[in-house]
Amino acid sequence: MTRTLSTTPTSAPAGARLFIALLDNIRHGHLELITPCGTRMVFGDAHAASGATLRLHDWRACQRILRAGDIGFAEAYAAGMVDTPDLTALLRLALANEASLNKLLFGGALARCWYRLRHWLRPNTRKGSERNIHAHYDIGNDFYQLWLDPSWTYSSALFDGDYSLPLHAAQQRKYQRIIDTLRLKPGQRVLEIGCGWGGFAEHAALQGIHVHGVTISPSQLEIAQRRVAALALHDRVRLELCDYRDLGGEYDAVVSIEMFEAVGEQYWPQYFSTVAARLKPGGQALVQTITIGEQHFARYRSSTDFIQQYIFPGGMLPSVERFERQAGRCGLRPLQRHAFGRDYAETLRRWDAGCRAAQQEITEQGFDQHFMRIWQMYFAYCEAAFDEGRTDVVQFLLEKD
């Protein structure tokens, strides 16, 4: 049911008129639209409990969205052409109406082809991976320190339904679950592919476990090594700049926490083959990765989205089915999986709150309003996807045959 509180303004350009006409297709929840001239319009069921507000400051935002879907909306939001009091609610409404708002979410064919080509031109070769990782993780340790928890963990925490838990405690719970699932004991040797700022390595080493962590981010390595030195863990932790494809040796276990998303689909076989090769016979690996629903995978693969364009260049999410199938082909038998997507939504809310609270300090570091709005979009975009079940985060336990 659509209830319009006012008709489309006669001053609206053709693109805006088409944009407004497409909003008539909202079937779940309601959207209040406030136009540049102050006209208020409501689409969908005005009495529905779920709803959102979109304020247009510039009619040109409509054409951007029609042309490039979610990427166009992100660009318009970053430029201040549109605004909303609750960005996550707006994005959740969009996902709930995905089937009927196809044109607004995915944009036109020409823009999709252009952005897809741009994504293909950033493959995760050895040099490409360095560039792609640098674009996100090396923007400044001072920036990340402002809103990450004290363990510098940049992956989903594990709340297990207890959302009163401090973020740091939930991150430690996640690390401990990995250790317990792999049944790691003091003295065992673990390879961590993508060690980040050293959170897992520190947690494991304090329990007597030996960790060899690798990263291709110099900024992350600097902090991780500093933390290891501060705790005098050099006898148990070795950290280095190294591409996972260049590793050798055998380990009792392999851990990889949200690095798989940066591998790229064409390199999945090489990644799993490397994990299998580095494990002792019968050894186990625990890989934590974000996944996308299999029903969405084909379209996701054939296009590209805001996250791939502006946040994680070269990134690619697997579905659960494709992850386990490819692992099996490379000699890694899936044993169990643990999904906790709603915990990621909560983690993202905590990060967003931390970023907003530190906005003054972030600005003093040289980051402008455009940067801040892109990151607000990033957090809200992912939070909505986890809350709506479009994406999930899963810990996969794999065993070398």
Side-chain angles (χ1 to χ4, degrees):
M1 177 185 75
T2 301
R3 183 162 69 93
T4 304
L5 300 186
S6 182
T7 57
T8 304
T10 56
S11 60
R17 288 175 174 273
L18 175 57
F19 175 83
I20 291 172
L22 290 172
L23 294 179
D24 273 331
N25 294 317
I26 290 177
R27 297 290 178 266
H28 305 284
H30 68 270
L31 173 69
E32 180 186 26
L33 178 70
I34 305 173
T35 72
C37 53
T39 302
R40 293 176 179 267
M41 310 174 75
V42 174
F43 301 88
D45 184 355
H47 302 291
S50 60
T53 299
L54 173 63
R55 178 182 288 274
L56 292 174
H57 294 299
D58 190 324
W59 285 121
R60 291 174 297 175
C62 299
Q63 191 59 46
R64 282 200 178 193
I65 298 169
L66 288 169
R67 181 181 65 87
D70 68 325
I71 298 172
F73 175 80
E75 292 172 346
Y77 181 78
M81 299 169 74
V82 299
D83 216 337
T84 174
D86 190 336
L87 184 54
T88 302
L90 180 64
L91 295 171
R92 289 188 67 174
L93 181 72
L95 286 177
N97 288 276
E98 178 181 351
S100 57
L101 295 181
N102 181 74
K103 174 71 173 175
L104 296 182
L105 293 182
F106 299 103
L110 186 61
R112 288 200 304 271
C113 288
W114 157 245
Y115 284 114
R116 185 59 183 164
L117 175 62
R118 189 177 178 213
H119 183 62
W120 281 341
L121 292 175
R122 298 187 283 192
N124 286 303
T125 60
R126 282 173 173 77
K127 284 294 183 185
S129 290
E130 289 180 10
R131 286 193 299 270
N132 292 338
I133 291 299
H134 175 76
H136 188 82
Y137 292 97
D138 292 333
I139 61 177
N141 288 330
D142 290 341
F143 166 69
Y144 286 104
Q145 187 178 24
L146 288 172
W147 50 273
L148 290 177
D149 73 285
S151 70
W152 290 71
T153 300
Y154 192 31
S155 56
S156 179
L158 180 63
F159 291 91
D160 275 338
D162 181 7
Y163 296 121
S164 65
L165 205 63
L167 180 58
H168 180 63
Q171 295 291 11
Q172 299 306 297
R173 177 179 287 183
K174 182 259 302 290
Y175 289 143
Q176 193 57 47
R177 186 186 188 279
I178 292 172
I179 290 171
D180 294 343
T181 300
L182 289 168
R183 300 188 299 278
L184 296 176
K185 300 291 188 293
Q188 287 191 300
R189 297 179 65 245
V190 176
L191 170 66
E192 185 184 8
I193 300 176
C195 64
W197 285 281
F200 172 78
E202 177 186 295
H203 188 87
L206 289 172
Q207 298 179 46
I209 299 161
H210 293 248
V211 180
H212 176 199
V214 296
T215 178
I216 56 174
S217 166
S219 296
Q220 288 186 327
L221 182 65
E222 176 191 350
I223 295 298
Q225 289 181 328
R226 190 186 305 169
R227 293 172 60 189
V228 167
L231 293 171
L233 295 173
H234 284 110
D235 59 329
R236 299 176 209 163
V237 179
R238 178 163 67 98
L239 304 172
E240 63 174 328
L241 279 179
C242 181
D243 190 289
Y244 71 93
R245 289 163 283 206
D246 298 326
L247 288 163
E250 281 191 336
Y251 299 83
D252 297 299
V254 172
V255 171
S256 189
I257 304 171
E258 292 182 32
M259 176 272 180
F260 187 80
E261 301 89 333
V263 170
E265 187 179 6
Q266 72 182 102
Y267 301 101
W268 289 353
Q270 193 169 10
Y271 173 89
F272 285 119
S273 295
T274 298
V275 172
R278 302 285 69 83
L279 282 172
K280 293 179 178 179
Q284 294 182 346
L286 191 144
V287 180
Q288 178 173 314
T289 183
I290 301 170
T291 63
I292 190 166
E294 175 64 24
Q295 69 272 29
H296 303 296
F297 186 84
R299 181 160 204 167
Y300 168 71
R301 173 204 256 167
S302 65
S303 60
T304 182
D305 64 8
F306 157 71
I307 296 297
Q308 292 169 320
Q309 291 297 318
Y310 282 95
I311 306 299
F312 295 111
M316 180 69 177
L317 303 181
S319 66
V320 167
E321 294 82 353
R322 290 166 195 267
F323 181 98
E324 293 187 339
R325 190 182 311 138
Q326 188 62 64
R329 288 171 180 163
C330 297
L332 295 168
R333 182 163 57 96
L335 296 180
Q336 63 172 258
R337 67 177 88 110
H338 178 67
F340 51 110
R342 290 199 176 276
D343 286 6
Y344 217 146
E346 177 63 20
T347 303
L348 286 154
R349 283 189 281 273
R350 305 283 184 98
W351 288 344
D352 182 53
C355 252
R356 290 176 186 272
Q359 187 162 351
Q360 180 62 38
E361 293 95 325
I362 293 172
T363 300
E364 291 170 357
Q365 290 179 10
F367 297 105
D368 60 14
Q369 188 65 20
H370 182 276
F371 174 88
M372 286 299 301
R373 289 174 73 86
I374 283 288
W375 275 72
Q376 288 166 10
M377 177 71 184
Y378 158 44
F379 289 142
Y381 188 95
C382 295
E383 180 189 337
F386 284 114
D387 270 338
E388 290 296 313
R390 185 183 182 89
T391 56
D392 208 339
V393 62
V394 182
Q395 290 183 353
F396 292 92
L397 181 63
L398 310 170
E399 184 174 71
K400 182 175 180 176
D401 286 340

